[in-house]
Amino acid sequence: MVAFTINGKQASADTAPDTPLLWAIREHLELTGTKFGCGAGLCGACTVHVDGKAVRSCQTVVSEVEGKTIKTIEGLSPDSSHPLQKAWIAEQVPQCGYCQSGQIMKAAELLAENKDPSRADIVAHMNGNICRCGTYNRIIAAIQRAAKEA
């Protein structure tokens, strides 16, 4: 049994220590906003925060998060009022929407570290989070909007 805090609440997962965090979040805690993309840490759809840092939950095993604080897309804001969530809607970012929770969580890490990122900062930070629909320009615009409104 691995114990941690997720979205501000104490939780535990009764899984094998080498179980990917993604599956503990989705299957055991039933928080399905975090998506399975590639399973190899290459796409970013499974991005969550562990102690404030964006990680690929498909490549992070539950034993690594013992006693740590995890935040998923469900924990970003209780009512979807986070500046990034509002900017995503205003800029009409999603098409299929599958990668969006991972994109937003990665962008949230950036804005926590850099309140006024340049376009180059955004591109460099978001590199590796893949959007199959190719809405990269809208993702950048949403991050820029959120930075101004935060």
Side-chain angles (χ1 to χ4, degrees):
M1 184 91 63
V2 177
F4 45 84
T5 301
I6 189 162
N7 300 333
K9 298 176 183 170
Q10 291 295 332
S12 60
D14 189 11
T15 64
D18 62 345
T19 300
L21 177 59
L22 172 66
W23 299 120
I25 291 170
R26 288 185 59 81
E27 302 296 322
H28 296 273
L29 301 175
E30 298 180 354
L31 296 170
T32 56
T34 304
K35 304 300 182 196
F36 172 81
C38 65
L42 302 172
C43 73
C46 67
T47 302
V48 299
H49 294 177
V50 175
D51 289 343
K53 292 292 179 190
V55 302
R56 307 294 169 99
S57 63
C58 73
Q59 295 297 295
T60 304
V61 295
V62 293
S63 61
E64 293 174 17
V65 300
E66 175 75 41
K68 296 188 178 180
T69 300
I70 300 163
K71 185 180 289 184
T72 68
I73 190 71
E74 292 92 343
L76 197 58
S77 78
D79 58 359
S80 299
S81 63
H82 189 281
L84 281 166
Q85 292 168 313
K86 293 191 310 189
W88 240 248
I89 293 166
E91 295 295 334
Q92 300 179 356
V93 174
Q95 282 186 25
C96 83
Y98 198 82
C99 70
Q100 299 310 304
S101 62
Q103 297 278 359
I104 290 171
M105 294 306 288
K106 185 70 172 171
E109 176 192 47
L110 171 63
L111 294 183
E113 296 171 355
N114 182 349
K115 302 290 185 210
D116 188 24
S118 67
R119 181 180 176 86
D121 293 335
I122 294 168
V123 170
H125 188 83
M126 298 300 292
N127 186 33
N129 274 62
I130 298 170
C131 174
R132 289 179 55 178
C133 299
T135 65
Y136 297 110
N137 287 328
R138 287 187 264 172
I139 290 168
I140 293 166
I143 296 169
Q144 290 171 325
R145 177 186 288 254
K148 290 177 188 163
E149 295 176 5

